[in-house]
Amino acid sequence: MTHGWSARDIPDQSGRTAVVTGANSGIGLVTARELARCGARVLLACRDERRGEEAAARIRYAVRGADVEFARLDLADLSSVRAFAEGFRADRLDLLINNAGVMALPYGRTADGFETQFGVNHLGHFALTGLLLPKLLAAGGARVVTVSSGLHALGNIDMGDLNSERNYRRWTAYGRSKTANLLFVHELARRLAAAGSALVAAAAHPGYASTNLQTAAARMEHRRAAERVAGIANRVVAQPASAGALPTLYAATAPGVRPDSFTGPRVLGWRGAPGPSWRAGWTRGDVAGERLWVASEQLTGVVYPGL
């Protein structure tokens, strides 16, 4: 890995098709824009149609000839995930960027009754990846990149309480959902290797990047002081979303990215060029990965063909 890897180092993506979840803002928008700039056809998979269409228009304005399109996807509703997958008409999918997420929300449930952070951050993406797997396998050299967080260290998953029903703490639940992302990547990579597949499953995290993720919960709860503090931290401490997207773009496009790798900013995991990132030992557990996988299949009803 070179020290100064940047968006200029993204290889030509012409002829490749990418799906980026949560591409209407933040690092998802930057990821989609830079993939389009390098020639990929990019599907912006977003919950809000107006914001998704606006994001597509912004990318077309920034990148002449960009091949981008909005498609509705609500990861908090498995019927929406299934509808998105059924509506995906391309013969192959080269890049699936599981980027969308929610952070430190007050307790809530998805349309299917899952705790919101676990449901959106993990189960929605687990279902989406499984439903799109045949299209990914049909593309030689495809990759699945799942965006986790350094804050996965806040909590290991509790197999006896996946939906945090016993004692909900918003930051612990967030950490658990990000641990689930890494365990998912670990188990998916293990299963792909056992099946002899060349599909690469990798993980990335943005460090501390300035996005609306930090302010969303405070805004929802009308905690104006907390929202202001988060906004100030975004301006003073955080790196811009353009830098926060680099680990994802590296994991998605750089040559030689290894299965089950975890890429993040080099400087203390907060900022800087992409490099290998620390991860908690519990995110590499084969037994935990298998148990979470089986539970995720049962909860979503999505079984991965051939794995």
Side-chain angles (χ1 to χ4, degrees), residues 107-124:
Y107 187 83
R109 292 182 180 270
T110 68
D112 304 279
F114 310 127
E115 186 275 313
T116 303
Q117 298 189 80
F118 181 67
V120 171
N121 296 352
H122 169 63
L123 290 176

Side-chain angles (χ1 to χ4, degrees), residues 103-265:
M103 183 173 78
L105 299 181
Y107 187 83
R109 292 182 180 270
T110 68
D112 304 279
F114 310 127
E115 186 275 313
T116 303
Q117 298 189 80
F118 181 67
V120 171
N121 296 352
H122 169 63
L123 290 176
H125 281 128
F126 177 91
L128 178 68
T129 306
L131 293 169
L132 293 176
L133 186 65
K135 301 292 178 75
L136 288 159
L137 295 175
R143 294 185 189 179
V144 177
V145 177
T146 300
V147 179
S148 181
S149 168
L151 295 180
H152 73 274
L154 291 175
N156 193 358
I157 58 167
D158 180 351
M159 287 302 305
D161 189 23
L162 288 174
N163 284 300
S164 299
E165 292 170 312
R166 285 202 297 267
N167 183 21
Y168 184 75
R169 291 189 176 94
R170 65 179 74 198
W171 283 105
T172 302
Y174 178 69
R176 286 173 172 174
S177 75
K178 297 287 104 177
T179 283
N181 288 154
L182 287 170
L183 274 174
F184 164 61
V185 169
H186 177 75
E187 181 66 11
L188 178 57
R190 191 181 70 80
R191 288 172 179 250
L192 289 167
S197 174
L199 175 62
V200 171
H205 76 92
Y208 189 179
S210 177
T211 71
N212 61 14
L213 194 64
Q214 285 88 351
T215 56
R219 189 178 305 116
M220 281 176 59
E221 298 172 279
H222 306 292
R223 292 185 291 124
R224 291 186 176 85
E227 185 180 352
R228 280 197 299 274
V229 169
I232 291 168
N234 273 356
R235 290 192 297 275
V236 176
V237 181
Q239 61 179 355
S242 57
L246 290 178
T248 300
L249 288 164
Y250 185 99
T253 68
V257 170
R258 296 179 63 82
D260 198 27
S261 56
F262 188 31
T263 303

